[in-house]
Amino acid sequence: MTAAESAGTGRPAPFTEGGWRLFRGDGAPRRVTFPPAPPWRRLHLESPDGSQTERPRPYLIDPDDADIVNAALHLRRPLLVTGHPGTGKSSLAHAIAHELALGHVLHWPVNSRSNLQDALYYDDAIGRLREANPRRDTDGPEPDIGQYVRLGPLGNALLAQDRPRVLLIDEMDKGDIDLPNDLLTVLEEAQFEIPELSRLPEDHGTLHVRTDGPDAPAAVIRGRVRCREFPVVIITSNGEREFPPAFLRRCVRLDLPEPDEERLRDIVAAHIGHEALDDIDDCGSAWPRRSAL
């Protein structure tokens, strides 16, 4: 079957070097040249210092919805974003961080086993004990306890910094029923305590703990982490269950609707280019009907 015949039947064209069909399923090994990945699946660029920088992500939002985002920013309140999967809830956090130049997004994906402490910090007590015993046998100095404490995504968001960080708490409705209220207390106080550090003697007043930056430890005084600017918190939910009223009262709520055909075309044009619209006319009109079934 020729490429023209395949085009007439709506089936993919057969394999040619540089063509669409890379895998044929005939068991014959061949070396092919992979085409460039689509824009939304390309890996982050790496800077000369080894750090990764996030690429701009096009994001379309209605003016009324943008006003709700701005209300949350001005009020220093978490933004609770609800909507069906694929409506752009998580991408909104990346769009805000990019547009406001707030660095890379801190990501906390919530599941049924998630708890607040994991999001705040992790204490590697076993590693500290493993290294302390050989040093004690050789009369060496005790290891600095701070190097065994690593801040989690929420802990990094609450560090004392001049500009806020963006924290994405993804799919909160998958977590434990008490998690929203536990989280609410920490966000209201904008601080938390690391007991493993706060109960140390006075001569251990300031310790440096590990952060999301591999070469950027943070100073913690008497085990207390407190931010100077409330973080920009984006909480997403698929609407699988309701949250406690006290939690909802302290959030600014944004409900993202299902995209219609016109919005789908705008999204495709923003991500791939207007030239791709010619190939998706049938697909674009079928999507709203299929999603409504």
Side-chain angles (χ1 to χ4, degrees):
M1 180 182 294
T2 66
E5 291 172 340
S6 297
T9 62
R11 297 176 58 188
F15 173 81
T16 57
E17 181 61 30
W20 181 85
R21 180 167 288 168
L22 304 178
F23 171 74
R24 297 181 62 180
D26 57 6
R30 61 182 63 84
R31 182 178 295 273
V32 301
T33 301
F34 278 77
W40 61 90
R41 287 295 291 168
R42 292 174 188 168
L43 297 176
H44 299 326
L45 301 177
E46 188 169 287
S47 301
D49 60 359
S51 62
Q52 287 189 339
T53 58
E54 297 205 6
R55 51 182 169 77
R57 303 185 183 196
Y59 191 84
L60 302 182
I61 186 170
D62 292 331
D64 291 343
D65 293 339
D67 287 343
I68 296 176
V69 175
N70 283 303
L73 295 175
H74 282 283
L75 295 173
R76 287 3 183 230
R77 290 294 187 183
L79 180 66
L80 176 60
V81 187
T82 58
H84 292 128
T87 53
K89 301 185 299 296
S90 302
S91 300
L92 177 58
H94 295 275
I96 294 172
H98 170 68
E99 189 169 323
L100 303 183
L102 297 178
H104 74 272
V105 174
L106 298 166
H107 187 201
W108 178 21
V110 176
N111 56 52
S112 59
R113 299 180 301 277
S114 298
N115 60 72
L116 183 62
Q117 179 172 322
D118 291 340
L120 292 173
Y121 73 96
Y122 169 72
D123 176 31
D124 186 9
I126 296 178
R128 185 170 71 248
L129 181 63
R130 184 184 299 116
E131 291 194 18
N133 288 335
R135 296 189 187 190
R136 191 176 296 114
D137 294 339
T138 58
D139 295 328
E142 288 289 332
D144 183 0
I145 187 175
Q147 65 179 309
Y148 299 100
V149 176
R150 177 188 290 275
L151 297 182
L154 179 55
N156 279 284
L158 294 175
L159 282 174
Q161 300 172 97
D162 295 331
R163 289 176 60 77
R165 297 290 301 274
V166 176
L167 171 64
L168 171 60
I169 304 178
D170 218 0
E171 299 188 332
M172 170 71 80
D173 47 346
K174 290 186 176 180
D176 184 80
I177 191 172
D178 294 326
L179 185 59
N181 284 335
D182 294 341
L183 174 66
L184 180 63
T185 302
V186 174
L187 293 179
E188 284 291 303
E189 297 178 352
Q191 63 179 334
F192 69 97
E193 184 183 75
I194 304 177
E196 291 85 348
L197 304 184
S198 61
R199 59 174 174 248
L200 292 174
E202 291 291 337
D203 57 343
H204 291 77
T206 301
L207 293 171
H208 289 80
V209 301
R210 301 167 66 187
T211 67
D212 63 317
D215 300 319
V220 176
I221 301 175
R222 302 302 306 158
R224 176 70 58 178
V225 177
R226 181 179 179 84
C227 65
R228 289 195 290 264
E229 281 287 343
F230 281 98
V232 178
V233 181
I234 311 298
I235 304 173
T236 71
S237 169
N238 293 325
E240 296 180 359
R241 65 176 175 85
E242 280 293 325
F243 295 119
F247 176 79
L248 295 176
R249 286 195 300 269
R250 289 168 173 81
C251 294
V252 176
R253 305 180 68 176
L254 171 62
D255 184 39
L256 295 180
E258 289 281 351
D260 55 16
E261 181 179 347
E262 181 180 357
R263 174 50 64 91
L264 283 174
R265 292 175 63 87
D266 292 340
I267 293 173
V268 171
H271 282 268
I272 306 178
H274 288 276
E275 63 277 2
L277 295 177
D278 297 335
D279 299 328
I280 65 164
D281 287 335
D282 294 338
C283 184
S285 59
W287 177 263
R289 296 195 304 268
R290 182 180 294 272
S291 61
L293 295 178

